[in-house]
Amino acid sequence: MTTSRRAASVLAFALTTTAGCSAPPHPPNSIHGSPPAPIAMTPPSRPEPTAPAQIAADPPAPSAGTVEALRDAVLSSSQAWETTRSLVDEVGPRFAGSPGDRAAVAWAQRTLTAHGLQNVRAEKVKVPRWQRGHEAAHLIAPYPRDLVVAALGGSAPTPPRGITAEVIAVPTVADLDKLDRKAVEGRIVFFHARMERTQTGTGYGKAVSIRTAGPSAAARKGAAAVIIRSVGTDVERIPHTGAVFYQADAPRIPAAALSVPDAEMLERLLAKGPAKLTLTLDSKVLPDAESANILGEVPGSSAPDEIVLLGAHLDSWDLTPGALDDAAGCAIVIEAARAIAALPRKPRRTVRVVLFANEEFGISGARAYAAAHAAEIPRHLIAIEADLGDGKVLTASFLGSDTARPAFEALVRPLVPLGVTFIPDDAHGGSDLIPLRALGVPLADLHQDATRYFDVHHTPNDTMAKIVREDLDQAAAAYAAFAYAAADMSGDLGRIPEDKRQRR
């Protein structure tokens, strides 16, 4: 038997012995009925080291075929779909600080433990709390019509009877900036930029500023409220929510998203003449709440204090069970770690899974992690986040020391049979990696196919019905192979240059 075949056989046996291992059933009354118990904060079973571990000079390379065998075993026997299903079905919506969020924290601790990870613990995170309440939009003129609307996350409320005003339409924030204040003052600004469907998801980055920056830009010109065309690529009569980022130099005005069909109708009507509508939002800010980042590890065999971080975010928006965003991402990194934990030969460094709290409403968990693990930051070899649904991994990119690019290319070479191509562009990194990027931790992107992702992004339509099992398994296999290869590599990947540490 060849070395590669022997590795594959041993690996297949190891993975089979853990097959069927899934999270225990969710306890009753954790989301509805009586409130869940306070989050149990479990300390790590070993103290945080204060000095980096020393790696032996010229360590042995991983046994031939281990990474390839791992990749192929995950591809053929992945549990990622079942993990996704468990989080979606047993927890459902898990908005920061909500009962669902607490249920997700408990689910994650059970699931990481059941999947063979060690040092599983919850680390406290304070999260902001916002409640949606009643939301409605009614077109008064030229033709009375109820519109389908969702408040943007963090939106200020309207008065109880709503805001009734003329509508002024502009595609983008840049277009609004060209208008005189008199044209905007007292009106409801309607941003109607269309998001382009792309395989890379770049259309989102081009369109999302109408949601994040539009309300404050309109408020500076005296607008009464903002409505936007949903930032999504579907044509369903279901609005997409998402966070609004209010700026300190502008009043906080109400902001909501229209479904794409309603937005297109309003745009057509405004092209023929004036329109007036009433917007009613009963949203409110509540006191901060307690949540947690959930960590679990596959300890390294010879340099356990060196870390390869696999991240995803545990929370979702309040309107959605979040199958793609980001139950699938959680499942991808959990599956990668589960498969590595089942191996008879562990990689030299520790593979750490971090399920971050509150990515959607302010990356609270990401900031808390960077602060709590400040002493460990120099020992983070590389970090990667899965936050683009179930799509197949198509490309791999890197952000770190320029001299380390050849080493990174070698790490992703085992992904070529999965259809993954290395690209020389700098990695972008997920939102939860922004604080680590600022501290110089190298980042990897295993960029997934985003063609379908924004059809259901931040909507109630983000359900298990949208998950493609084969694509999810390919992504899990890519993450597992990359994580093992990185955790077992010789040398390191340097640090991100100072001039590239801020995300643009």
Side-chain angles (χ1 to χ4, degrees):
M1 182 181 291
T2 66
T3 304
S4 178
R5 288 178 59 198
R6 185 180 299 110
S9 297
V10 172
L11 178 61
F13 173 77
L15 292 177
T16 301
T17 61
T18 62
C21 178
S22 59
H26 201 58
N29 299 322
S30 58
I31 302 177
H32 303 289
S34 59
I39 294 170
M41 299 298 168
T42 53
S45 58
R46 58 180 172 82
E48 297 271 349
T50 57
Q54 297 298 314
I55 299 175
D58 300 318
S63 57
T66 298
V67 174
E68 291 82 358
L70 172 67
R71 174 199 68 206
D72 295 345
V74 173
L75 196 62
S76 64
S77 60
S78 169
Q79 297 178 27
W81 188 92
E82 172 56 25
T83 301
T84 307
R85 182 216 61 77
S86 176
L87 180 53
V88 171
D89 291 355
E90 297 165 25
V91 177
R94 44 201 182 275
F95 190 45
S98 69
D101 182 33
R102 288 177 175 269
V105 165
W107 175 92
Q109 291 177 282
R110 294 194 311 273
T111 300
L112 295 188
T113 301
H115 282 67
L117 276 68
Q118 299 181 36
N119 306 320
V120 175
R121 69 264 198 193
E123 297 183 348
K124 289 183 180 181
V125 178
K126 181 180 288 188
V127 297
R129 192 81 176 88
W130 175 82
Q131 187 176 82
R132 178 173 301 278
H134 174 70
E135 51 199 7
H138 181 73
L139 184 65
I140 296 172
Y143 309 107
R145 189 79 57 85
D146 287 333
L147 305 176
V148 180
V149 68
L152 297 182
S155 173
T158 66
R161 293 182 178 272
I163 292 172
T164 300
E166 297 281 346
V167 179
I168 181 169
V170 290
T172 67
V173 175
D175 294 302
L176 175 71
D177 289 341
K178 299 173 185 177
L179 298 180
D180 292 335
R181 182 182 178 91
K182 289 182 179 180
V184 178
E185 197 166 17
R187 291 175 168 82
I188 295 174
V189 173
F190 169 42
F191 291 105
H192 55 86
R194 299 177 181 225
M195 180 183 164
E196 178 187 5
R197 183 189 299 276
T198 63
Q199 192 178 60
T200 60
T202 53
Y204 182 72
K206 294 175 181 177
V208 75
S209 64
I210 65 172
R211 189 192 79 211
T212 57
S216 287
R220 290 188 195 102
K221 290 184 179 285
V226 161
I227 54 174
I228 69 169
R229 176 192 171 108
S230 282
V231 183
T233 49
D234 64 308
V235 291
E236 301 297 325
R237 205 162 180 236
I238 301 174
H240 297 237
T241 192
V244 55
F245 299 154
Y246 287 119
Q247 301 300 310
D249 65 346
R252 297 190 171 205
I253 61 175
L258 293 173
S259 75
V260 168
D262 288 85
E264 291 184 346
M265 180 189 69
L266 182 58
E267 187 179 351
R268 292 192 301 268
L269 292 174
L270 285 164
K272 293 183 176 295
K276 180 184 286 189
L277 64 78
T278 298
L279 177 68
T280 305
L281 303 178
D282 187 28
S283 53
K284 62 182 66 174
V285 174
L286 302 175
D288 288 350
E290 184 179 281
S291 186
N293 292 328
I294 307 302
L295 282 65
E297 297 171 339
V298 181
S301 58
S302 61
D305 297 329
E306 304 264 345
I307 298 155
V308 171
L309 187 150
L310 305 183
H313 67 86
L314 188 57
D315 63 313
S316 74
W317 278 103
D318 56 326
L319 295 175
T320 175
L324 295 177
D325 186 20
D326 188 29
C330 292
I332 287 167
V333 299
I334 291 170
E335 178 61 18
R338 182 199 68 81
I340 294 170
L343 290 171
R345 180 189 182 278
K346 305 299 188 290
R348 296 165 54 235
R349 298 177 182 84
T350 292
V351 175
R352 175 180 290 172
V353 168
V354 182
L355 303 182
F356 291 99
N358 189 37
E359 183 269 349
E360 298 290 12
F361 199 42
I363 63 169
S364 308
R367 299 182 196 281
Y369 178 86
H373 295 268
E376 284 186 324
I377 295 302
R379 295 190 293 277
H380 281 64
L381 178 84
I382 196 165
I384 185 169
E385 182 171 19
D387 187 15
L388 206 57
D390 67 340
K392 286 185 177 181
V393 175
L394 301 178
T395 62
S397 57
F398 171 69
L399 181 62
S401 170
D402 288 338
T403 60
R405 284 186 182 274
F408 180 83
E409 287 188 60
L411 295 180
V412 298
R413 206 164 288 140
L415 309 188
V416 171
L418 296 176
V420 179
T421 304
F422 170 76
I423 57 175
D425 302 351
D426 285 342
H428 191 61
S431 295
D432 288 307
L433 304 184
I434 290 173
L436 296 182
R437 176 176 179 163
L439 296 170
V441 175
L443 305 180
D445 280 345
L446 294 184
H447 204 285
Q448 296 168 256
D449 186 344
T451 304
R452 298 178 292 107
Y453 180 71
F454 292 100
D455 286 348
V456 299
H457 184 243
H458 295 177
T459 76
N461 245 357
D462 184 4
T463 66
M464 282 301 294
K466 309 304 185 297
I467 298 289
V468 177
R469 188 191 295 253
E470 293 78 10
D471 293 357
L472 183 68
D473 290 346
Q474 186 265 15
Y479 269 75
F482 173 77
Y484 189 99
D488 213 48
M489 70 176 287
S490 301
D492 60 43
L493 298 168
R495 297 285 102 177
I496 297 175
E498 291 282 353
D499 62 345
K500 293 184 177 181
R501 293 187 178 187
Q502 297 305 311
R503 187 174 176 184
R504 296 179 177 86

